[in-house]
């Protein structure tokens, strides 16, 4: 009796084409005719898939704010577990190895920073169809000792505590959960302008850049982000809760849409 369609992206197949446009048109008609409720992780995601904002329920991707706001018990131990070297700038990214995540840009950025004499380690968490290609590219760029492909990460909250900067050069995104998690952990983020502005919680932790900017601009932004002052944990948690990123509260909203009773555990 309840059929909900939830939009999580702002682009269809990453590029405009007549075929993609026709498919999107058909999907919109099918969704409108069959869904009893429309949801989106952000306003832009709602406009993209449904072609409107009206009657679209905004349900941000909720996370466990307590888990990510808490400090890591032993950061150095977490670094050793993942093979992260001491004394280097640690840049991280979490995401599937697919075209839209733009891992090639990350590797070329790391190569540029290495050429400039910046000691860094790039940590890439995740898996996907392009992982082998990216591993080969890292070797070709001479980054064997500077990039760690750590695969699927089961404890993202601990990994984030080991990072100096989170970098996300995506070609397009809806409202990425990992970016919310990074901000919840107090990690400064340098992201592409292909990611919706809604993803910035206004904590001063996010810097957006165009992918057309040269690597040097991105490198400078990463270095500045690593040195910038960070907001305190209480402010981060309260801001994200107010913006709707509390998983417990979001669960209640989803259950309400499905006409089910919900009582958040205390």
């Amino acid at each position: 009796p309840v059929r909900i369609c939830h939009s999580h992206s702002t682009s269809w197949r990453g590029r405009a084409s007549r075929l993609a446009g026709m498919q999107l048109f058909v999907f919109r008609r099918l969704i409108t005719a069959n869904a009893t409720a429309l949801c989106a992780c952000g306003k832009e995601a709602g406009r993209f898939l449904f072609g409107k904002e009206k009657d679209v329920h905004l349900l941000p991707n909720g996370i466990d704010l307590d888990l990510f706001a808490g400090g890591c018990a032993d950061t150095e131990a977490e670094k050793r577990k993942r093979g992260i070297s001491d004394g280097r700038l640690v840049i991280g990214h979490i995401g599937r190895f697919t075209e839209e995540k733009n891992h090639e840009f990350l590797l070329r950025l790391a190569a540029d920073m290495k050429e400039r004499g910046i000691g860094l380690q790039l940590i890439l968490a995740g898996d996907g169809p392009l992982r082998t290609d990216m591993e080969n590219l890292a070797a070709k760029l001479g980054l064997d000792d500077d990039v760690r492909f750590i695969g699927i990460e089961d404890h993202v909250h601990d990994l984030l505590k080991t990072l100096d900067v989170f970098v996300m050069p995506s070609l397009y995104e809806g409202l990425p959960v990992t970016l919310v998690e990074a901000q919840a952990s107090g990690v400064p983020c340098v992201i592409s302008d292909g990611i919706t502005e809604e993803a910035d919680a206004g904590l001063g932790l996010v810097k957006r850049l165009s992918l057309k900017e040269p690597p040097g601009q991105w490198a400078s932004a990463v270095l500045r982000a690593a040195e910038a002052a960070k907001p305190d944990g209480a402010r981060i948690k309260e801001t994200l809760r107010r913006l709707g990123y509390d998983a417990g509260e979001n669960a209640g909203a989803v259950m309400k849409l499905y006409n089910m009773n919900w009582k958040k555990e205390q």
Side-chain angles (χ1 to χ4, degrees):
V2 180
R3 301 175 302 280
I4 297 175
C5 183
H6 198 165
S7 176
H8 284 262
S9 190
T10 58
S11 181
W12 173 248
R13 296 191 171 180
R15 57 176 68 88
S17 70
R18 179 171 295 183
L19 176 60
M22 291 174 61
Q23 289 174 322
L24 181 58
F25 174 78
V26 171
F27 291 156
R28 279 178 176 170
R29 297 293 294 270
L30 290 171
I31 288 168
T32 302
N34 291 279
T36 60
L38 305 177
C39 296
C41 63
K43 292 181 179 179
E44 290 187 27
R47 283 194 297 266
F48 163 71
L49 188 58
F50 309 129
K52 62 178 182 177
E53 291 183 29
K54 185 180 179 181
D55 300 324
V56 176
H57 300 274
L58 289 183
L59 285 176
N61 299 316
I63 64 172
D64 185 337
L65 294 178
D66 291 327
L67 182 66
F68 285 90
C72 182
D74 191 339
T75 300
E76 295 307 314
E78 292 296 332
K79 285 186 176 182
R80 289 193 299 272
K81 183 191 304 182
R82 296 171 177 83
I84 300 174
S85 303
D86 290 330
R88 295 200 206 184
L89 177 68
V90 183
I91 302 170
H93 176 83
I94 303 167
R96 276 179 53 77
F97 283 83
T98 51
E99 181 184 1
E100 68 271 16
K101 297 298 184 181
N102 205 11
H103 285 85
E104 180 176 344
F105 186 93
L106 275 170
L107 292 173
R108 296 194 182 280
L109 172 62
D112 180 85
M113 295 178 73
K114 183 178 180 179
E115 287 181 7
R116 296 168 186 268
I118 300 170
L120 64 90
Q121 190 151 44
L122 176 61
I123 308 301
L124 299 178
D127 207 345
L130 297 182
R131 176 173 173 175
T132 299
D133 291 344
M134 294 303 104
E135 290 174 338
N136 292 337
L137 179 59
K140 182 179 178 180
L141 294 172
L143 296 171
D144 287 327
D145 295 329
D146 307 289
V147 181
R148 294 282 299 162
F149 293 83
I150 65 173
I152 301 296
E153 174 59 52
D154 294 324
H155 298 90
V156 172
H157 59 289
D158 287 331
L159 172 62
L160 285 168
K161 299 302 182 183
T162 70
L163 305 182
D164 295 310
V165 185
F166 181 83
V167 183
M168 183 172 257
S170 301
L171 300 177
Y172 61 91
E173 292 274 1
L175 208 161
V177 179
T178 51
L179 183 54
V180 176
E181 292 171 340
Q183 292 176 84
S185 301
V187 181
C189 308
V190 179
I191 69 173
S192 76
D193 59 2
I195 300 172
T196 173
E197 291 185 32
E198 295 174 88
D200 184 350
L203 292 161
L205 288 169
V206 175
K207 172 65 178 177
R208 298 174 83 243
L209 287 176
S210 169
L211 292 172
K212 295 179 181 179
E213 295 287 352
Q217 289 289 98
W218 279 75
S220 296
V222 169
L223 293 175
R224 287 195 298 270
E227 298 172 355
K230 302 174 180 60
D232 66 82
R235 181 190 166 204
I236 292 174
K237 184 177 177 181
E238 174 55 29
T239 298
L240 292 176
R241 187 201 62 76
R242 178 170 45 81
L243 291 174
Y245 292 112
D246 183 283
E249 294 182 5
N250 282 11
V254 172
M255 299 288 275
K256 185 176 180 180
L257 282 174
Y258 278 99
N259 297 317
M260 300 172 70
N261 293 324
W262 168 258
K263 182 177 180 182
K264 182 179 178 182
E265 293 184 9
Q266 299 299 320

